[in-house]
Amino acid sequence: MKRRTLLGSALPVLGVGRWLDQLLFANRGEIVRKRLVGTAGGETTDLVVIDGDGTAVASEHEGLLGESPGDVSAATANAVRERYDSVRFHLTVSHHDGGPAVLARTGTTEYRTSRTLYSGTAVGDHISFQTSLLGRDTIISLSCLASDRESLQRRCRVDIDDPTGE
């Protein structure tokens, strides 16, 4: 058997593992940080950072984001977008160990997400979720949202309407 034939047949199998990871295996972990980031003129600014140490809101946005920095309404997001070229919502997840060792994610990863998922979650929540097929660093939907690891399931009812909105 030629080397090219072996490589040609092995690469699609490796790619299938990646797709299975994203399609079938729900990622699981605890949200350890939330960030709202604005970019203007090539400079990136943390507008909101929420983690185990508390909440920090950029002083120039205290009036706009200070009351509910972890739950950003569509109107507030639009007001922030008027000041920045782009606005991104991030969730940092500390992955739970478990699942097939070849496919399971481990460690802590920061993901981009929608405003709706950012607002519908809190630091300390345990989530199972799916990432985008086009960007593994983007959470597109939640399968389950729980207050503790023991209650987290692969699938459960999540009361977040339109998770991909904004």
Side-chain angles (χ1 to χ4, degrees):
M1 182 183 262
K2 293 184 180 181
R3 233 184 305 171
R4 276 189 219 158
T5 306
L6 181 61
L7 262 175
S9 62
L11 288 178
V13 172
L14 293 174
V16 168
R18 180 175 160 246
W19 292 103
L20 282 174
D21 177 32
Q22 293 172 326
L23 289 173
L24 301 177
F25 294 100
N27 300 292
R28 300 163 60 107
E30 178 183 4
I31 298 173
V32 294
R33 182 172 41 176
K34 292 173 62 165
R35 284 192 326 140
L36 172 56
V37 177
T39 304
E43 282 197 39
T44 301
T45 304
D46 282 340
L47 307 177
V48 174
V49 177
I50 304 169
D51 59 21
D53 295 332
T55 302
V57 178
S59 59
E60 66 268 19
H61 299 291
E62 186 70 41
L64 186 60
L65 296 166
E67 285 188 35
S68 59
D71 184 7
V72 178
S73 69
T76 301
N78 289 334
V80 171
R81 285 185 181 107
E82 290 176 6
R83 299 180 186 184
Y84 292 90
D85 299 330
S86 75
V87 174
R88 294 184 318 272
F89 298 89
H90 295 268
L91 296 177
T92 301
V93 176
S94 176
H95 292 276
H96 295 323
D97 293 329
V102 173
L103 300 174
R105 292 193 176 119
T106 58
T108 302
T109 305
E110 182 174 69
Y111 295 94
R112 290 180 68 171
T113 194
S114 67
R115 178 197 59 82
T116 307
L117 289 178
Y118 172 91
S119 295
T121 58
V123 169
D125 283 346
H126 293 261
I127 59 174
S128 58
F129 60 94
Q130 288 74 44
T131 58
S132 168
L133 292 175
L134 300 175
R136 291 189 70 186
D137 65 340
T138 302
I139 295 175
I140 58 170
S141 68
L142 297 183
S143 298
C144 191
L145 174 65
S147 59
D148 57 65
R149 184 175 180 166
E150 292 75 31
S151 301
L152 186 63
Q153 303 170 16
R154 283 184 57 85
R155 304 255 185 265
C156 68
R157 182 166 167 72
V158 177
D159 292 325
I160 298 177
D161 295 328
D162 190 19
T164 58
E166 292 185 70

